[in-house]
Amino acid sequence: MSRTIVVGAGMVGLATAWHLQERGVEVTVIDRVGVGAGSSWGNAGWLTPGKTIPLADTSLWTYGPRALLDPDAALHVPFRVDPSLWSFLLRFAAHGTNRAWDRTMADLTPIDKIALECFDELLDGGVESWTREGPFVIGFKEKGQSKAFLHEVEGVVRHGQEVPFEQLENPRELAPVLSDAVQLAYRLDGQRFFEPAPFVEALGHAVVARGAELLTGYEVTDVSSTRKPVVTMSNGRRIEADSVVIATGAWMPKLARKLGVRTRVQAGRGYSFTVATEQPQEHPVYLPFQRIACTPYQGRFRIAGTMEFRRPDEPFQPRRVQAIIEQSRELFTGIDLDDRQDEWVGSRPVTPDGLPLVGATRAPNVYVAGGHGMWGIVLGPATGKLLAEQITTGRIAPEIRPFDPLR
């Protein structure tokens, strides 16, 4: 029996491990903290292929200066001397054109189309958790704020996805948490949501129950490959395997750069917290103009937002949570924004061209899976399935061919 070491126990790494097991591979999973400890834990839990789109668009050219000058902007870049960050930002901004958006959307659409069925495959295969249909409520203070959202939906549909949506007569019909300041709302269907931390934990339990070895509390400091790949851990232990998958999110460059993966991966940090609601909120809510995404979570309401380009291990920045709060006060009702729980920051791995990095490195039998930006949760199961196929058969599925990590 062949053996694969998966470095990283988030959604992408565990889904890859699960599908390798489906193909008869013995798996060891290593994570420096534990299952779902990175950006898999506190995100909004949106399974929305219809919103899995390029991050860079033409709005960067008007919004970009505010990201530098306003520390409370939804997209924030700290003004500092950091050549690697500025190099990333230049490449990222270069993709803020309609032509680049269409090119990236065309490359994302095939995997978007299979994303939800890959969740069903995990659930049908014994992962004891759930996903739930929307609808999602998309709210705006006035009609002018909706133009960018409607343009995005049109682009996704133009590239071949079905994205059912319609205007709501009463914005509070499905979202009692919305205040009277929200004058326009749509319902978006065909999408799902879930509770990310419990789902990833259930996936981790399933992988272990099927025979995987899970090693936590140790960082992988090196991956090399000559005759066979070898992983070196922070305690000095070296483990040999037939193949290795690096799925460490925003920390991927530490291991992958020397293996030929030159595409920059920048941490795009998101923040979230939960609040209680006076009335139960059963459906996700999205405020695109303020870039705030909200989801029911374990009897509370998770509010998530911001994109902050910092190093992945930098300290939690309370001001970013405060920025979300100030944006939210006018738009929500019946919630106590001063009584928050589960405050969190997670580092999402963003690439300049908006495409993931999935496939073989220059080192024999060493692969990477990451760089999904905000979409690692929704695309994780599909990524794991298709990468497991590549590792065991050599076939590169068309859905991940554009994600070549050596591009």
Side-chain angles (χ1 to χ4, degrees):
M1 178 183 290
S2 63
R3 182 186 187 191
T4 297
I5 296 172
V6 178
V7 185
M11 175 66 89
V12 175
L14 290 173
T16 305
W18 193 91
H19 280 287
L20 286 168
Q21 291 175 317
E22 284 286 281
R23 292 175 170 273
V25 178
E26 182 180 323
V27 176
T28 297
V29 179
I30 306 174
D31 194 279
R32 64 175 185 166
V33 179
V35 169
S39 58
S40 293
W41 190 87
N43 64 83
W46 285 21
L47 308 180
T48 51
K51 282 294 298 170
T52 303
I53 60 176
L55 291 180
D57 58 31
T58 55
S59 69
L60 280 176
W61 299 103
T62 54
Y63 195 82
R66 184 182 173 196
L68 292 172
L69 300 175
D70 183 358
D72 296 327
L75 171 64
H76 177 58
V77 181
F79 198 80
R80 58 168 57 156
V81 178
D82 187 339
S84 62
L85 174 60
W86 293 109
S87 174
F88 165 81
L89 291 172
L90 289 173
R91 289 173 170 82
F92 185 72
H95 289 85
T97 66
N98 289 327
R99 178 178 293 182
W101 194 96
D102 278 319
R103 184 170 59 247
T104 303
M105 191 69 239
D107 288 338
L108 287 171
T109 296
I111 196 169
D112 285 352
K113 287 183 173 181
I114 66 170
L116 295 182
E117 66 187 56
C118 289
F119 275 89
D120 292 336
E121 189 169 356
L122 293 176
L123 295 169
D124 293 342
V127 177
E128 296 183 359
S129 194
W130 53 267
T131 67
R132 189 169 300 159
E133 296 280 348
F136 286 64
V137 179
I138 318 297
F140 304 93
K141 291 176 64 175
E142 45 90 12
K143 186 175 181 180
Q145 292 184 354
S146 68
K147 289 182 179 179
F149 167 75
L150 297 177
H151 180 72
E152 288 175 355
V153 171
E154 184 276 330
V156 172
V157 172
R158 176 162 40 85
H159 281 277
Q161 289 194 62
E162 294 184 10
V163 188
F165 77 103
E166 61 181 348
Q167 186 172 337
L168 291 168
E169 291 187 10
N170 176 9
R172 280 149 289 284
E173 174 186 353
L174 296 175
V177 295
L178 290 176
S179 74
D180 290 338
V182 178
Q183 295 293 308
L184 174 67
Y186 296 88
R187 65 174 289 163
L188 177 68
D189 289 291
Q191 321 295 311
R192 303 186 202 173
F193 67 98
F194 71 162
E195 295 178 347
F199 188 100
V200 176
E201 289 169 5
L203 178 55
H205 289 317
V207 168
V208 172
R210 286 151 54 114
E213 181 182 18
L214 175 62
L215 303 176
T216 62
Y218 301 102
E219 185 172 1
V220 171
T221 57
D222 185 65
V223 177
S224 59
S225 181
T226 51
R227 186 179 63 86
K228 278 189 173 184
V230 176
V231 164
T232 303
M233 298 168 61
S234 55
N235 62 352
R237 181 180 176 187
R238 290 165 55 87
I239 309 175
E240 185 180 87
D242 297 289
S243 58
V244 171
V245 177
I246 301 171
T248 52
W251 293 266
M252 179 189 292
K254 289 183 178 181
L255 298 175
R257 186 164 181 79
K258 75 165 194 173
L259 306 176
V261 181
R262 301 296 182 184
T263 298
R264 170 80 182 181
V265 177
Q266 170 64 45
R269 305 196 328 162
Y271 288 75
S272 72
F273 53 87
T274 65
V275 294
T277 60
E278 290 181 1
Q279 298 185 56
Q281 178 59 46
E282 298 180 359
H283 307 295
V285 175
Y286 182 36
L287 304 172
F289 193 78
Q290 292 77 19
R291 292 175 168 82
I292 293 174
C294 311
T295 317
Y297 185 80
Q298 297 188 342
R300 293 172 66 83
F301 193 53
R302 173 169 280 173
I303 300 177
T306 85
M307 175 69 77
E308 176 191 49
F309 288 140
R310 289 182 181 268
R311 289 182 289 272
D313 286 317
E314 287 193 45
F316 181 95
Q317 303 291 315
R319 184 165 185 170
R320 304 303 297 152
V321 168
Q322 197 60 39
I324 299 173
I325 294 168
E326 294 309 313
Q327 290 271 30
S328 300
R329 287 196 187 279
E330 180 187 9
L331 301 169
F332 292 120
T333 186
I335 63 176
D336 186 353
L337 289 166
D338 296 320
D339 181 18
R340 299 181 300 278
Q341 297 179 15
D342 308 311
E343 289 192 349
W344 171 88
V345 60
S347 294
R348 300 164 295 197
V350 181
T351 60
D353 61 5
L355 294 176
L357 303 167
V358 182
T361 70
R362 295 199 189 283
N365 300 312
V366 179
Y367 303 81
V368 295
H372 294 81
M374 296 170 62
W375 318 125
I377 283 290
V378 62
L379 299 182
T383 296
K385 179 178 181 177
L386 300 177
L387 182 58
E389 179 185 13
Q390 180 179 351
I391 292 169
T392 55
T393 70
R395 176 182 178 270
I396 303 175
E399 292 89 348
I400 60 170
R401 193 171 293 277
F403 308 158
D404 181 359
L406 301 181
R407 64 181 183 271

